Each structure stands twice: as structure tokens, then as C-alpha cells.
């Protein structure tokens, strides 16, 4: 489609011209727009100069459209009808964006943290006499959450991966710790000496699928300790949810490395045991990601992140019977 020529006036100029056509008077048009008559006259002269067409004949009795002016007025009226329709549509989209947010969250965040965040967001909104934005959430893995934000099918993502996704902005919204877990009757639950990183790397584990932030975080921690040439033992099982991994470990399929948040209840009742591994730093940052500028998009996305990261107000169970305050970190 060819570009518009420089002869097309701005929409605001057409609005002034149509006011002159409707009222038959530069003075009446000037009062409608809160301008001086001289300013309206200058605007009309500018329109005629830009279009190269005489639109209005001025006389002591008022302003009358030329034949060409009548035609242009009809076109301008139709053009402004479409412009107002588009303007109203854009306002609706802005309102929807402010009141609704599509979220793609990795499973640990979706299952362990998002419910608390959303409830506290609703409580905070009710306290102020307002309403919380509508949250439409998809639980997935970190890679798929990142892809959804890039495609625009999610307004914001929450990921666990240790690697910052290129082309996206991010903010740390919480911290987490991975732990090695086994059933209570597993030999590792009775060992006297600490488990080593090398032993863990050579043990077939029950793991999440490729693209999982938990799986990627473990690999990154092992490589940091044992070197980049590390070759991990292949998984004994690959499962697509934290619940399935936890159930497989309880059933005796093998050890796993999971978020402490996800296994807190099982550890508390003795169904699972945490195996210490002092060599590895399994702490990780949980991030919100979005497409665009350094500041999160205005509206529901920014409100949600601000609520989650407000210092000294948002706290989460740490899986050990206490709470910790979420720290804001870019």
C-alpha cells in the first residue's frame, strides 16, 4: 500500500474544517474549539494551502463551501467517523490491558507462589475499595513461559531458569532453594557423610522435562562446581509436573532435586527426606519477564509486579515453617 502524500491534513484540521462547514461561520467554529477567529482563519488557510484546493468562500454574510469543499467535507466526515471508531477501540484495549493480564508462569511459581500473590492482591484491592485485575494464568515450564511472552500470548512471564532470556526485560521477584529429596527408606537418608556434587551428577534422577527451570538450575549449579565439561547421568524418569516428580520419588523411583517450597509438606510429615549437599549452591532467583522497556508495562502488569515486590509487605513461606520478605532486585 502506497504511503499517504503530504497533501493530507491532520485529523484535527479536518475537525476545524467540518465545524466551519456545519456552522457556516468562522466565528462559530472558533467558539466551538475555544480558539480565536484569527486562529481558525489561519487553520483554514493552512488546510487549503496543504491540499491545493479552495474549500470555503468567505463573505460578510458568513462562510460558504465551494463545490470542492462540499465533496471534501463528505470525505472528511466519513474519515472522522472511522477515526472515532478506532479511538474508541483503542480506549477499550487500553482499559482491558489495565484490568486484565495474561500470565505464563513456571510450575513452581504457579503452584507455590502465585496463589498467595493473587489472594493478597485481591485483599489489598478490597482494602482500598477497588478491584484487583483479572489474572488469566497458564502454568508451564520456564522455556515455554519465555516463548509465550516473546509471542505476545502472555503479557508477563514468571521463570525459574538461571539464564536471563535475551530480548526481554526482567526483575527478581522472589528467591527459592532447590533440595535433594529421597523417600524415608532410601540409603541416602541414612548416610553419615554429606552427598557430593560428583555423586549427584552421576546418579540417575527423576527430573522434569527439558526446558524446566528447576532442571536447568541444577545443571548450572553442577557445572559451576564440577566444570563446564560435566556429563550428567541421564534421568531415570522425565515428568511434566512437580506433583508427578514428587509422587515418583515417594514411590521409590529414585532421588530428585526440587524446590523446597514444593516438598515442604512431605518433608514435614517425614514422607520425604532432604539430603544435604554442601558443595552445591542451589539458591536461585525467580524472575518476572516482559517485552518492552525497562519499566514494566503500565496497567495490570505493573500493578502485579509492584504488589509482589513491595518491600516489607509481601512475605512467602520458605518451606521451613517461617516466612521471608521478598526483596526487590533488578
Amino acid at each position: 500500500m502506497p504511503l499517504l502524500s503530504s497533501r493530507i491534513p491532520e485529523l484535527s484540521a479536518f475537525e476545524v474544517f467540518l465545524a466551519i462547514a456545519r456552522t457556516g461561520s468562522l466565528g462559530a467554529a472558533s467558539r466551538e474549539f475555544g480558539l480565536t477567529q484569527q486562529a481558525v482563519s489561519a487553520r483554514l488557510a493552512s488546510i487549503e494551502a496543504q491540499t491545493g484546493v479552495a474549500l470555503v468562500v468567505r463573505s460578510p454574510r458568513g462562510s460558504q463551501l465551494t463545490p470542492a469543499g462540499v465533496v471534501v467535507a463528505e470525505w472528511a466526515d466519513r474519515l472522522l467517523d472511522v477515526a472515532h471508531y478506532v479511538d474508541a477501540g483503542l480506549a477499550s484495549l487500553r482499559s482491558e490491558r489495565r484490568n486484565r493480564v495474561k500470565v505464563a508462569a513456571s510450575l513452581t511459581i504457579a503452584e507455590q507462589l502465585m496463589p498467595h500473590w493473587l489472594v493478597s492482591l485481591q485483599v489489598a484491592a478490597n482494602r482500598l475499595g477497588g478491584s484487583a485485575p483479572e489474572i488469566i494464568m497458564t502454568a508451564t515450564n520456564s522455556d515455554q513461559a519465555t516463548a509465550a511472552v516473546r509471542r505476545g500470548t502472555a503479557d508477563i512471564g514468571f521463570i525459574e531458569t538461571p539464564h536471563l532470556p535475551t530480548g526481554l526485560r526482567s526483575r527478581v521477584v522472589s528467591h527459592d532453594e532447590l533440595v535433594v529429596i529421597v523417600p524415608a527408606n532410601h540409603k541416602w537418608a541414612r548416610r553419615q557423610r554429606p552427598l557430593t556434587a560428583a555423586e549427584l551428577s552421576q546418579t540417575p534422577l527423576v527430573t522434569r522435562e527439558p526446558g524446566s527451570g528447576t532442571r536447568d538450575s541444577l545443571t548450572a549449579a553442577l557445572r559451576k562446581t564440577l566444570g563446564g565439561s560435566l556429563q550428567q547421568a541421564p534421568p531415570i524418569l522425565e515428568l511434566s509436573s512437580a506433583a508427578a516428580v514428587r509422587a515418583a520419588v515417594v514411590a521409590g523411583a529414585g532421588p530428585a532435586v526440587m524446590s523446597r517450597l514444593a516438598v515442604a509438606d512431605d518433608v514435614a510429615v517425614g514422607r520425604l527426606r532432604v539430603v544435604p549437599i554442601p558443595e552445591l549452591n542451589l539458591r536461585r532467583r525467580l524472575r518476572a519477564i516482559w517485552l518492552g522497556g525497562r519499566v514494566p508495562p503500565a496497567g495490570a502488569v505493573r500493578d502485579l509486579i509492584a504488589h509482589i515486590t513491595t518491600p516489607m509487605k509481601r512475605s512467602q513461606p520458605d518451606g521451613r515453617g517461617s516466612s521471608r520478605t521478598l526483596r526487590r532486585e533488578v
Side-chain angles (χ1 to χ4, degrees), residues 35-322:
L35 301 171
T36 65
Q37 186 168 330
Q38 291 79 6
V40 169
S41 179
R43 179 69 63 88
L44 176 60
S46 175
I47 297 170
E48 291 180 322
Q50 184 176 3
T51 60
V53 177
L55 302 173
V56 176
V57 175
R58 282 154 266 188
S59 72
R61 295 186 301 276
S63 300
Q64 183 177 358
L65 298 186
T66 65
V70 172
V71 174
V72 172
E74 292 177 357
W75 293 341
D77 191 48
R78 284 153 50 190
L79 177 61
L80 288 173
D81 274 346
V82 173
H84 287 306
Y85 178 82
V86 172
D87 189 31
L90 290 173
S92 176
L93 290 175
R94 286 193 299 271
S95 175
E96 179 177 337
R97 187 178 181 87
R98 175 162 291 278
N99 294 297
R100 176 184 297 177
V101 57
K102 292 176 286 185
V103 173
S106 60
L107 280 177
T108 297
I109 297 173
E111 294 174 352
Q112 306 301 324
L113 297 176
M114 284 298 298
H116 175 85
W117 291 344
L118 298 184
V119 169
S120 65
L121 181 65
Q122 183 66 62
V123 169
N126 291 343
R127 189 181 301 124
L128 296 173
S131 60
E134 179 185 0
I135 306 295
I136 303 172
M137 187 180 72
T138 300
T140 181
N141 64 35
S142 291
D143 277 3
Q144 292 172 354
T146 300
V149 173
R150 285 204 175 104
R151 289 194 306 267
T153 55
D155 301 309
I156 184 174
F158 291 94
I159 61 172
E160 309 161 33
T161 180
H163 311 294
L164 292 179
T166 58
L168 298 178
R169 298 291 187 173
S170 71
R171 177 171 296 172
V172 174
V173 294
S174 188
H175 293 79
D176 184 31
E177 181 185 17
L178 299 180
V179 290
V180 181
I181 55 165
V182 295
N185 60 356
H186 192 275
K187 62 181 181 179
W188 285 0
R190 300 186 299 273
R191 63 184 291 151
Q192 299 300 310
R193 58 185 178 82
L195 185 68
T196 67
E199 286 178 282
L200 183 65
S201 70
Q202 295 308 306
T203 301
L205 302 175
V206 181
T207 70
R208 290 278 309 284
E209 76 286 358
S212 156
T214 296
R215 182 167 173 170
D216 289 347
S217 295
L218 173 61
T219 299
L222 287 171
R223 286 180 176 168
K224 186 173 183 179
T225 299
L226 300 175
S229 60
L230 165 75
Q231 293 294 321
Q232 287 179 255
I236 193 169
L237 277 177
E238 286 186 356
L239 301 169
S240 61
S241 73
V245 172
R246 189 171 62 245
V249 175
V250 170
V257 175
M258 297 186 67
S259 164
R260 185 182 290 275
L261 294 171
V263 298
D265 291 343
D266 295 285
V267 171
V269 300
R271 193 162 37 240
L272 292 174
R273 298 285 179 85
V274 173
V275 182
I277 183 163
E279 280 185 285
L280 284 184
N281 178 9
L282 293 176
R283 294 275 295 170
R284 60 180 181 167
R285 296 171 174 179
L286 308 180
R287 293 180 178 270
I289 57 172
W290 64 89
L291 190 63
R294 292 192 59 176
V295 177
V301 170
R302 189 179 299 175
D303 293 344
L304 177 60
I305 294 178
H307 177 78
I308 292 169
T309 57
T310 299
M312 304 304 295
K313 291 184 179 179
R314 304 280 79 79
S315 62
Q316 302 296 339
D318 65 2
R320 290 171 286 190
S322 63

